[in-house]
Amino acid sequence: MAGTKAFLMLENFIDGKFLPCNSYIDSYDPSTGEVYCRVPDSGKEEIEAAVEAARGAFPGWSSRSPQERSRVLNQLADLLEQSLEELAQAESKDQGKTLTLARTMDIPRSVQNFRFFASSILHHTSECTQMDQLGCLHYTVRTPVGIAGLISPWNLPLYLLTWKIAPAIAAGNTVIAKPSELTSVTAWMLCKLLDKAGVPPGVVNIVFGAGPRVGEALVSHPEVPLISFTGSQPTAERITQLSAPHCKKLSLELGGKNPAIIFDDANLEECIPATVRSSFANQGEICLCTSRIFVQKSIYSEFLKKFVEATRKWKVGIPSDPSASMGALISKAHLEKVRSYIQRARAEGAQIQCGDGVDKLSLPSRNQAGYFMLPTVITDIKDDSCCMKEEIFGPVTCVVPFDSEEEVIKRANSVKYGLAATVWSSNVGRIHRVAKKLQSGLVWTNCWLVRELNLPFGGMKSSGIGREGAKDSYDFFTEIKTITIKH
């Protein structure tokens, strides 16, 4: 390692203090392929310290009124908003996404997460029933669970970390969060604002490092009764195994293989730009991205021609370029994995209509080693191909024709995932019918990624367990108790 180069050195945040670590992991700038940051390589020892801090802070924080906790969340939202530009710059550099996206989506949504749960925590009601003949009254109360273990992914770092921290602390829990070791910078920046917002020491502890070491230590700790995880299915399997002996509460959000179904009466002027965005936004690194596009046969040729033209205009550029629609992928290993799917599709006889290996990507000389690739459209591919079944999590989408409504529902449901789907049609009856039959936790019709945070978010089948949202997150982060009073 070049001794002359100064790296950004992150520290764990435990009990309201920044603490150095014995060893570190290199973190790369995806747009250059160079190390620019060092992330603590934490383990059991750091988790023990975080558990002790969270345990100590729990009685005080959980006994505060919802109004007091709400005030703290709102103050934290205000501080994040004041640092929006600084956070957006950091998120873009760390993750590879465009600065435009970080400015308009990631950081504003992180602010909104705190404001939303600061408000929703004030509006929950409990149930009460009477049994007059027995002289009994029954009612429910909800209480915080204790220490919440929160594990967030690298694709929307601050956005998904705050989506977990906000409801957990709003409900009165204390937390130990582990962000992805690939994208830890904005989580570290968040720590600097906690004290100023009035978050007491030990309420939010952030421990950095890799899943197999620090993630496993957190998940298997007997004093962490609930785990909220967003990430891959193999990791979720491991979390489930480690949690089983302790009967932990689990919320698992595990990605998808999301279909877009485009009927012959779809408005293509709206549908095409929206489907380009749903396929390639954030480099295709969103669990909700479209990766299978089913187009009714009579409009297939027209759709494909226009879709490929629009995809070629989806500019790949350095993250700071305001005209770029897409930045760099997260890592060299991930870029190679995504490219391997395209190679396998080629080997199966599929056609690559545009993108990787077909069109030329031009980048500035200092970004030649960055993890960039062009958005790629694949056709002439079978439903049983790995590209149609497995989550690629990159800027790759497959376009295939279909004949009937019944057929396309069956094909859309033929994968192990069931997170999100989009349906394009101007027939309202058909939209309701198809939406009901799709095995999918979310169905958008004639739009994509319009989120209502009050309503449940989550997937069916291998896309996860549980839901997140105003009521669902509150239910997850609290325990319910039924109390019977005989009078």
Side-chain angles (χ1 to χ4, degrees), residues 92-330:
S92 172
K93 186 179 177 70
D94 203 25
Q95 202 275 338
K97 69 180 72 223
T98 65
L99 182 53
T100 307
L101 193 69
R103 267 186 196 137
T104 57
M105 183 178 79
D106 291 69
I107 311 306
R109 173 60 196 276
S110 305
V111 172
Q112 191 192 357
N113 287 337
F114 282 111
R115 288 208 177 118
F116 177 80
F117 286 106
S119 168
S120 76
I121 195 64
L122 304 176
H123 304 291
H124 296 290
T125 55
S126 58
E127 298 160 288
C128 178
T129 60
Q130 285 166 272
M131 279 185 176
D132 287 345
Q133 72 281 15
L134 297 175
C136 283
L137 179 79
H138 309 269
Y139 67 94
T140 59
V141 292
R142 281 195 170 271
T143 53
V145 182
I147 304 171
L150 313 176
I151 302 174
S152 56
W154 50 256
N155 61 329
L156 302 165
L158 192 64
Y159 173 140
L160 289 175
L161 178 68
T162 54
W163 178 237
K164 295 179 187 302
I165 290 176
I169 66 172
N173 301 285
T174 54
V175 307
I176 301 168
K178 188 206 94 68
S180 166
E181 70 277 16
L182 300 175
T183 52
S184 295
V185 174
T186 49
W188 172 73
M189 291 167 76
L190 171 69
C191 297
K192 298 178 182 184
L193 305 175
L194 295 171
D195 179 54
K196 202 174 172 189
V199 179
V203 171
V204 175
N205 305 279
I206 299 190
V207 182
F208 300 101
R213 274 197 74 203
V214 74
E216 295 216 355
L218 174 59
V219 167
S220 53
H221 200 290
E223 287 186 70
V224 180
L226 86 181
I227 302 290
S228 173
F229 168 76
T230 300
S232 72
Q233 198 201 353
T235 307
E237 278 180 41
R238 184 73 184 132
I239 288 171
T240 307
Q241 288 165 356
L242 293 168
S243 302
H246 307 285
C247 283
K248 298 192 180 206
K249 259 181 126 173
L250 296 180
S251 170
L252 307 172
E253 201 274 274
L254 312 177
K257 190 69 189 166
N258 309 311
I261 299 172
I262 297 155
F263 288 98
D264 57 11
D265 60 349
N267 177 344
L268 292 188
E269 276 183 34
E270 286 181 11
C271 167
I272 284 167
T275 307
V276 168
R277 193 169 72 88
S278 72
S279 300
F280 307 123
N282 202 51
Q283 304 76 244
E285 296 168 332
I286 303 179
C287 54
L288 304 164
C289 275
T290 303
S291 54
R292 297 179 295 148
I293 303 172
F294 296 94
V295 186
Q296 204 152 19
K297 255 198 185 122
S298 58
I299 60 161
Y300 179 77
S301 301
E302 182 195 357
F303 175 89
L304 183 62
K305 182 174 176 284
K306 289 180 174 171
F307 184 74
V308 169
E309 279 170 12
T311 298
R312 283 202 163 112
K313 289 180 184 147
W314 188 259
K315 183 182 168 183
V316 177
I318 59 168
S320 58
D321 177 357
S323 70
S325 303
M326 197 172 104
L329 275 71
I330 185 67

Side-chain angles (χ1 to χ4, degrees), residues 11-29:
E11 291 182 313
N12 289 319
F13 187 76
I14 298 171
D15 206 16
K17 295 183 282 290
F18 284 102
L19 303 170
C21 194
N22 296 329
S23 58
Y24 288 82
I25 302 167
D26 288 342
S27 180
Y28 294 80
D29 176 342

